[in-house]
Amino acid sequence: MTNDMNDEQRRRLLLLQQHGLINKQNGNDSLLNQTESGEHTPWFINILFGFSGIFASLLFIGFLTLILFETEIFDSIIGVLLTGSILSAIGWSLFYNAHLRHSPFWNSLAFAITVAGQAYIAFALLTNELEQPVNVVILLLIQLFMTIVTPNFIYRLLSAMVALGCVIYLLNFYHLPELSLGLLALMTAVANLQRYSILQRISVKWRSAAFDISKALSYASALMLLSVSVYFIAAEYGGSPDSFGSLDSYGDTFSYNYYLAQGLLTLASLYAALLILKRYQVKLLSAAGFIIIFAIAILGVMSIYVSGLLTTSLIIVIAVANSQRVLLGLGITALVGYIFWYYYQLDTSLLIKSASLLSIGIGLLLMRWLLIKRYFAISKRSSEALTVANEKERLS
């Protein structure tokens, strides 16, 4: 039994090695135990290390800032940039050594030092005399570089989120905030649903690193998509829904076109649905395809008035299609939060609110009944017929 399990593990390692998802050194039996014990850290442990690293980096920044103020290094932007670059280089070297040794302690230490270094670089870029948006573009390029070269998932996740935040700021700077939702939704769909097809076009030598980067980018784009939706909800009920002057720090107030933004988001959602239907070999012009397109269109129209409805539905569908429990939990939590926010912000009586909740509940129960009666019953009859056929074949 043990030999069969070892043979199965060797075959899986060989298959992963042929596809470039693991390095050749990880295919050796001597490193198999190290790979299994060090690399497969549970996600909640990674999040715990991430929070501890952020807290440690804040303490480290406070301690180092006091020293730098005493030495008057903060009077020179070049000095702050140099300090941040040195800390980032030290953190990267620690990350690289921790990646080879699979050490959680060195990972946390490297995380704290690298975050401190990047914080100093961001402070120097955003407070000097560089004109906007040149400083934001430089910060975007630095974060993209750190996302590529840093061998740590949590740091890549945060760095990618900062880079996407810079992209959103640049779109807002050039008066194109309506592109934010559609662009983030498209990136989320491509990073999650087309990851492996894109990786097949990359050289085998770099495929393992590209897989780690794409994984961080997939979660970062989903989190930023949910965050931007939260901002639009707050802007909708916190003031004038057509004015986004609070986003604007350079003096110009401009209107936000909800119809254009939700239209682009709907197009990105339709593209994600097309990828999922293609995965399950379902034609777009079939009955199921028309139902899905109609449902996405309805959600897109409703999202004009209930911001975040289509966004969270897209995240949930992608998470279910890829069996990503963490992303599924985030999507469901965000969906419940958005619905409750919209419900409590309605300027209507409690009777109308109760009637709306009753109608929604009845609609959901009808959908559940329809799915159980039509689809699950067909699946059950198919499985029973297959079982009977197998039994007849065995008896004959």
Side-chain angles (χ1 to χ4, degrees), residues 151-298:
N152 181 267
F153 172 74
I154 298 297
Y155 184 82
R156 277 174 168 162
L157 176 65
L158 296 178
S159 184
M161 290 181 66
V162 174
L164 292 175
C166 293
V167 172
I168 294 172
Y169 179 85
L170 292 175
L171 291 176
N172 175 75
F173 185 89
Y174 291 108
H175 293 193
L176 297 172
E178 294 87 355
L179 300 180
S180 300
L181 282 176
L183 179 61
L184 289 173
L186 182 61
M187 292 182 62
T188 303
V190 172
N192 286 279
L193 301 176
Q194 288 186 298
R195 180 191 309 174
Y196 295 103
S197 60
I198 294 176
L199 289 175
Q200 291 295 328
R201 304 176 184 177
I202 300 176
S203 175
V204 176
K205 180 180 179 181
W206 307 105
R207 197 171 292 171
S208 177
F211 176 80
D212 295 335
I213 296 172
S214 64
K215 181 180 178 181
L217 182 61
S218 64
Y219 281 95
S221 58
L223 289 173
M224 287 302 298
L225 180 59
L226 295 176
S227 301
V228 170
S229 299
V230 168
Y231 178 81
F232 288 154
I233 294 174
E236 183 176 1
Y237 295 106
S240 176
D242 295 328
S243 177
F244 278 72
S246 58
L247 261 176
D248 195 351
S249 59
Y250 40 86
D252 298 330
T253 301
F254 55 93
S255 61
Y256 181 82
N257 193 331
Y258 271 94
Y259 299 99
L260 177 59
Q262 295 300 325
L264 295 175
L265 178 61
T266 303
L267 290 177
S269 302
L270 289 173
Y271 180 71
L274 177 63
L275 294 177
I276 296 176
L277 291 176
K278 185 178 179 181
R279 175 185 297 181
Y280 293 100
Q281 298 180 353
V282 178
K283 294 182 179 180
L284 185 63
L285 299 180
S286 61
F290 280 117
I291 292 174
I292 292 174
I293 293 175
F294 180 74
I296 293 175
I298 293 298

Side-chain angles (χ1 to χ4, degrees), residues 10 13 17 22-35:
R10 291 190 185 96
L13 287 173
Q17 180 180 334
I22 61 173
N23 298 327
K24 292 183 178 180
Q25 60 179 1
N26 290 334
N28 300 328
D29 291 337
S30 60
L31 295 179
L32 179 60
N33 294 330
Q34 296 180 9
T35 304

Side-chain angles (χ1 to χ4, degrees), residues 371-389:
L371 288 173
I372 292 176
K373 182 179 179 181
R374 182 166 182 177
Y375 292 100
F376 293 131
I378 294 175
S379 178
K380 184 179 180 180
R381 287 195 297 267
S382 300
S383 61
E384 290 177 354
L386 182 61
T387 303
V388 171

Side-chain angles (χ1 to χ4, degrees), residues 86-103:
I86 293 174
L87 291 176
S88 299
I90 295 173
W92 178 85
S93 62
L94 290 175
F95 266 134
Y96 184 75
N97 292 328
H99 180 69
L100 295 178
R101 299 178 182 180
H102 310 301
S103 174

